[in-house]
Amino acid sequence: MTLFTSSRTFFLGGILAAGLSASVFAASPYEGRWALTLPNGGAGWLGIEETGGKLQGSILWGGGSVVPVQEVKVEGDTLKVIRLSKAKNPKTQAEEQVTETITAKATGDDLKLSTVKVKADGKEFAQGDFTGRRIAAIPAKPDLSKVKYGEPVTIFNGKDLSGWTLMNPQSDNGWSVVDGVLQNRVEKGKHHGNIRTDKEFEDFNLKLEVRTQEKSNSGIYLRGIYEVQVAETFGKPLDSHNMGALYSRITPSVAAEKAIGEWQTFDITLVDRHLTVILNGNTIIDNQPVLGCTGGAITSDETKPGPIYLQGDHTNIDFRNFMLRPVVK
């Protein structure tokens, strides 16, 4: 998914990765990380921190990236988050500024929020109410040498799409199996869909192979929440939107992708909200904490098991040789 470019390293990692509880945040009841359920039911995320005596924030609104907001302030018992964006005037086609104000009130670990956008002419639109819940502190970093795995679970039989379901039944299905390869082929003018496993998982190790096509832009969603990026980025500078990144959250430590058309190996481990990604034999994300859902997640609730889902709504992509081993608690 390539909708917004930012390689910023987001905050709260040091504090929350240490496993401190939410009670540490004494300055404001709004500091911390919040899982959002947006007005349309989609998954979102809000992070608030204090830096130099001033509140700052970043937000994920459905798809795309985690991005900084313009302003964060608390008035009485109410949080206000200001976002600025651009929109085309339908009459003049000129870009005009849109100001969105999100207000929130906390009751313990729960948020009640509302949003409204204001056009340059002062007209309000896109009003909506939604909810949020404080995200629990990230557990301590797991010792992966002591993690035990169960027997492999078959998620792709190499013959057909048994065990996989198109996530939106109204979408065009570009997925098929050819010579043991799970491939997606898109056609101009059609809206192609993502697919997911019927089975759901908690923590696991997942191995697979992928082959990019021209301008490939896909993703492997872990538990339907966290996207490991799959993209044709060979030869490009390191970025949190490149091959193997946790989309817009964790930038690979090295560029390990191969050239277009070559089969590439992924070895992905998710344990206690910590992610390890080995791409083509190179560890590019090393047991790092995951601070929240990524764009396109089916839920912002990180406590739930979920499917493996593959993004197919953008471009052509090939997958094969899946092997998933669940963690044994």
Side-chain angles (χ1 to χ4, degrees):
M1 181 181 294
T2 309
L3 301 176
F4 186 95
T5 303
S6 171
S7 55
R8 174 177 174 173
T9 300
F10 291 94
F11 50 75
L12 299 174
I15 295 175
L16 292 166
L20 299 181
S21 70
S23 63
V24 171
F25 303 114
S28 167
Y30 296 105
E31 286 188 90
R33 300 174 301 117
W34 301 88
L36 305 179
T37 301
L38 302 177
N40 65 357
W45 178 92
L46 176 67
I48 305 292
E49 71 161 357
E50 183 180 348
T51 301
K54 184 178 179 180
L55 291 178
Q56 297 182 342
S58 290
I59 197 167
L60 171 69
W61 193 269
S65 299
V66 179
V67 295
V69 299
Q70 184 73 16
E71 183 181 4
V72 179
K73 56 186 177 181
V74 176
E75 297 179 351
D77 62 351
T78 302
L79 175 74
K80 287 194 174 182
V81 176
I82 309 298
R83 301 176 67 197
L84 301 180
S85 60
K86 297 289 186 179
K88 278 190 176 182
N89 183 306
K91 294 182 179 180
T92 66
Q93 295 301 305
E95 281 198 339
E96 297 180 348
Q97 182 169 287
V98 173
T99 302
E100 179 181 14
T101 301
I102 298 170
T103 58
K105 286 190 177 182
T107 303
D109 290 336
D110 294 312
L111 280 184
K112 287 187 176 181
L113 307 98
S114 62
T115 179
V116 61
K117 292 182 178 180
V118 180
K119 297 180 181 180
D121 60 7
K123 291 183 179 180
E124 295 184 351
F125 69 108
Q127 296 175 322
D129 297 325
F130 58 110
T131 60
R133 185 162 181 80
R134 186 183 294 279
I135 298 172
I138 295 177
K141 180 180 292 188
D143 182 345
L144 297 182
S145 68
K146 296 180 180 179
V147 174
K148 296 182 179 180
Y149 298 96
E151 292 298 315
V153 176
T154 299
I155 61 173
F156 176 55
N157 64 18
K159 300 176 182 179
D160 55 37
L161 293 174
S162 297
W164 294 84
T165 301
L166 197 65
M167 293 177 65
N168 181 355
Q170 305 305 315
S171 296
D172 295 303
N173 186 8
W175 296 94
S176 63
V177 180
V178 179
D179 297 328
V181 175
L182 176 59
Q183 64 177 34
N184 184 60
R185 295 295 181 265
V186 301
E187 299 178 50
K188 189 175 181 180
K190 292 187 175 182
H191 180 72
H192 292 79
N194 309 318
I195 57 170
R196 54 157 288 172
T197 58
D198 296 334
K199 296 176 180 177
E200 296 191 341
F201 309 96
E202 295 184 33
D203 288 351
F204 53 82
N205 171 260
L206 173 65
K207 294 183 175 68
L208 58 89
E209 293 179 74
V210 62
R211 180 172 60 189
T212 58
Q213 308 293 320
E214 184 179 4
K215 297 182 180 180
S216 279
N217 177 15
S218 181
I220 305 161
Y221 280 79
L222 315 178
R223 290 170 44 204
I225 302 174
Y226 311 122
E227 181 190 8
V228 175
Q229 173 75 327
V230 176
E232 178 47 53
T233 57
F234 179 74
K236 294 185 178 181
L238 291 175
D239 191 273
S240 64
H241 302 80
N242 284 5
M243 183 77 155
L246 182 64
Y247 190 82
S248 89
R249 288 197 178 276
I250 303 178
T251 301
S253 59
V254 295
E257 56 265 68
K258 294 181 179 180
I260 185 172
E262 294 189 46
W263 282 107
Q264 307 189 54
T265 61
F266 268 112
D267 184 337
I268 301 168
T269 302
L270 179 66
V271 179
D272 291 340
R273 284 188 281 158
H274 285 74
L275 178 66
T276 298
V277 177
I278 302 172
L279 176 62
N280 298 321
N282 300 278
T283 300
I284 62 173
I285 298 177
D286 190 5
N287 205 10
Q288 292 190 40
V290 178
L291 301 185
C293 65
T294 58
I298 60 177
T299 179
S300 60
D301 187 348
E302 299 175 76
T303 67
K304 292 183 177 180
I308 303 300
Y309 103 62
L310 305 176
Q311 188 179 27
D313 59 351
H314 287 350
T315 61
N316 298 344
I317 193 69
D318 296 334
F319 295 94
R320 71 179 183 186
N321 294 337
F322 292 79
M323 186 180 75
L324 187 147
R325 293 181 299 155
V327 170
V328 178
K329 298 294 186 180

